[in-house]
Amino acid sequence: AEHELGLEVEQGDIFIDQLDQFSEAGACGTAAVISPIGAIVDGDKKHVFYSETEVGPVTQKLYDTLTGIQFGEIEGPEGWVVEVTE
């Protein structure tokens, strides 16, 4: 995200009372894909990010870039793509 898309990257904990600082949210796991998060509910409070039904532009760009690299449509950063042979 930082080197390929020019986004500021920060790693750390995010607490429930800090959600209003974020306009979009996404999750990724071992499948290495970005899944948008529409909202988070905590008790009677609900924080909606970009939209509950639409993907935000930053999350979409991350998804498109990552899957583009995975499918060979976009050249990945050095060392990301390794040819697997038998």
Side-chain angles (χ1 to χ4, degrees):
E2 183 175 35
H3 300 290
E4 296 299 311
L5 303 177
L7 298 174
E8 182 179 339
V9 176
E10 182 178 321
Q11 183 175 343
D13 296 330
I14 300 169
F15 300 96
I16 199 80
D17 62 343
Q18 298 173 318
L19 293 180
D20 61 345
Q21 298 176 20
F22 301 92
S23 58
E24 293 184 45
C28 65
T30 56
V33 72
I34 307 298
S35 298
I37 298 172
I40 292 178
V41 177
D42 178 40
D44 62 347
K45 294 182 183 179
K46 180 179 187 178
H47 178 79
V48 176
F49 292 98
Y50 181 80
S51 167
E52 287 187 275
T53 58
E54 296 180 30
V55 178
V58 175
T59 306
Q60 186 67 60
K61 182 67 175 170
L62 286 167
Y63 176 87
D64 291 344
T65 302
L66 182 57
T67 56
I69 292 168
Q70 291 170 335
F71 287 106
E73 299 163 354
I74 297 173
E75 186 173 338
E78 182 71 32
W80 272 37
V81 178
V82 178
E83 184 176 346
V84 177
T85 60
E86 292 183 52

